[in-house]
């Protein structure tokens, strides 16, 4: 058997020499810079937030409509002449509908002729169980609407899309996102933000709801074509005012822009009636 060569044992490492281990440490002189004393921080007093103005009474409150007419007549001479030549408005709903009922009715009436919408609305009330007992207002509840199948609603002429809108509105009231008390308590901005989350309810519908159901005094439906045409006629504008221009033009009506908007509809109607009368007179002559 051949002999194997064993590995050489490792050599011990050489210990470092202590003679040269010591190194010199150099110290550099540094210039000491004196910093000026810091000035004490000045605390600026933050003024307390301005108190939130209490909401104005509804236009149906005693004396409120008269106050609106006095304000508008003094603030806008051109509107004053329209007020003087037009019967005073009435914002009283008879009977006044609860918020849910009013919004459901608005959905049913959307984009339909008044006669067709009224017929569908009557059939809608007849579907509800309590309507036969003579209490249609109480019958239009979120639970009652959710109990109606989409097929039931389509059978009375409600489109599938509107049926979905009604169910979404009812579901939001049932879940507590909306309620009769919260709708009444919200200001215009908050109410617009919450109601436009409901499928099928846009800004125009909310504005009409605020004016004619809640009787809010200071709502400007700046996207409504009739109001815009009325403002164009009132101020003799060359072009139809855009919504942002409406806000500037009608700012003088605050805090009764709802009433000013109402007169714009009447102004447009009177212009249309005058045009029709003139055409009729020319045709007969």
């Amino acid at each position: 058997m051949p002999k194997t060569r064993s590995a050489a044992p490792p050599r011990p490492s050489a210990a470092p020499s202590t003679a040269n281990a010591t190194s010199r440490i150099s110290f550099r002189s540094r210039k000491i810079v004196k910093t000026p004393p810091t000035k004490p921080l000045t605390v600026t007093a933050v003024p307390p937030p301005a108190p939130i103005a209490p909401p104005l009474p509804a236009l149906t409150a005693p004396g409120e409509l008269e106050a609106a007419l006095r304000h508008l007549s003094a603030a806008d001479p051109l509107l004053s002449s329209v007020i003087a030549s037009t019967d005073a408005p009435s914002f009283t709903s008879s009977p006044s509908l609860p918020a849910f009922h009013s919004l459901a009715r608005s959905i049913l009436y959307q984009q339909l002729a008044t006669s067709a919408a009224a017929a569908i609305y009557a059939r809608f009330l007849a579907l509800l169980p309590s309507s036969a007992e003579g209490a249609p207002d109480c019958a239009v509840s979120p639970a009652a609407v959710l109990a109606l199948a989409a097929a039931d609603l389509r059978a009375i002429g409600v489109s599938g899309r509107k049926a979905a809108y009604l169910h979404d509105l009812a579901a939001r009231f049932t879940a507590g996102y909306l309620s009769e008390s919260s709708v009444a308590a919200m200001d215009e901005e908050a109410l617009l933000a919450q109601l436009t989350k409901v499928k099928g309810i846009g800004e125009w519908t909310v504005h009409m709801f605020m004016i004619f159901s809640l009787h809010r005094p200071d709502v400007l439906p700046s996207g409504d074509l009739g109001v815009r045409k009325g403002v164009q006629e009132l101020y003799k504008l060359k072009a139809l005012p855009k919504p942002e221009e409406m806000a500037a033009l009608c700012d003088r009506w605050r805090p009764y822009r709802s009433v000013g908007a109402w007169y714009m509809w009447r102004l447009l109607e009177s212009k249309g009636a005058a045009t029709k009368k003139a055409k009729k007179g020319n045709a007969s002559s």
Side-chain angles (χ1 to χ4, degrees):
M1 183 173 181
K3 294 182 180 181
T4 58
R5 196 174 181 183
S6 60
R11 295 180 180 178
S13 57
S17 174
T18 58
N20 297 327
T22 304
S23 61
R24 294 180 180 180
I25 301 175
S26 62
F27 292 91
R28 295 181 181 179
S29 60
R30 295 183 180 181
K31 185 178 181 181
I32 298 175
V33 179
K34 295 182 179 181
T35 56
T38 57
K39 295 181 180 179
L41 295 175
T42 57
V43 179
T44 304
V46 178
I52 300 174
L56 289 171
L59 289 170
T60 50
E64 191 63 18
L65 185 57
E66 290 77 8
L69 297 181
R70 288 195 299 271
H71 170 79
L72 293 172
S73 297
D76 192 338
L78 294 176
L79 182 57
S80 177
S81 61
V82 179
I83 293 173
S85 60
T86 309
D87 293 336
S90 174
F91 290 93
T92 304
S93 298
S94 183
S96 182
L97 298 177
F100 177 79
H101 187 163
S102 180
L103 290 166
R105 185 179 182 275
S106 297
I107 290 174
L108 290 170
Y109 269 73
Q110 284 176 358
Q111 298 177 340
L112 290 176
T114 303
S115 57
I120 292 175
Y121 176 63
R123 293 196 291 267
F124 168 73
L125 294 178
L127 280 180
L128 303 173
S130 301
S131 296
E133 301 173 7
D137 298 341
C138 299
V140 185
S141 66
V145 171
L146 286 175
L148 296 175
D152 298 330
L153 292 167
R154 288 197 300 270
I156 63 169
V158 179
S159 68
R161 181 174 294 180
K162 283 189 178 181
Y165 296 166
L166 289 170
H167 285 156
D168 186 55
L169 174 68
R172 288 181 180 274
F173 268 83
T174 301
Y177 296 113
L178 295 169
S179 66
E180 297 291 331
S181 58
S182 67
V183 166
M186 288 182 204
D187 61 19
E188 279 70 26
E189 185 177 350
L191 193 55
L192 182 65
Q194 289 300 318
L195 288 182
T196 51
K197 293 179 182 178
V198 180
K199 294 178 182 177
I201 293 183
E203 183 179 283
W204 183 87
T205 300
V206 178
H207 283 159
M208 297 304 105
F209 171 70
M210 289 180 184
I211 295 173
F212 295 107
S213 294
L214 301 181
H215 311 124
R216 297 283 177 92
D218 195 33
V219 179
L220 178 65
S222 55
D224 183 88
L225 184 59
V227 176
R228 292 170 65 195
K229 286 185 175 180
V231 169
Q232 182 184 14
E233 174 66 19
L234 180 68
Y235 297 119
K236 305 302 179 187
L237 305 175
K238 293 181 179 180
L240 196 66
K242 297 178 180 179
E244 57 270 19
E245 295 172 328
M246 292 279 293
L249 288 167
C250 303
D251 190 69
R252 70 192 76 183
W253 299 350
R254 289 178 182 272
Y256 296 108
R257 292 179 297 173
S258 299
V259 183
W262 186 90
Y263 277 105
M264 293 303 95
W265 285 312
R266 304 292 83 78
L267 176 61
L268 195 62
E269 288 175 357
S270 63
K271 181 187 177 183
T275 302
K276 186 181 292 185
K277 184 177 180 180
K279 286 182 179 180
K280 187 177 179 180
N282 293 335
S284 59
S285 59

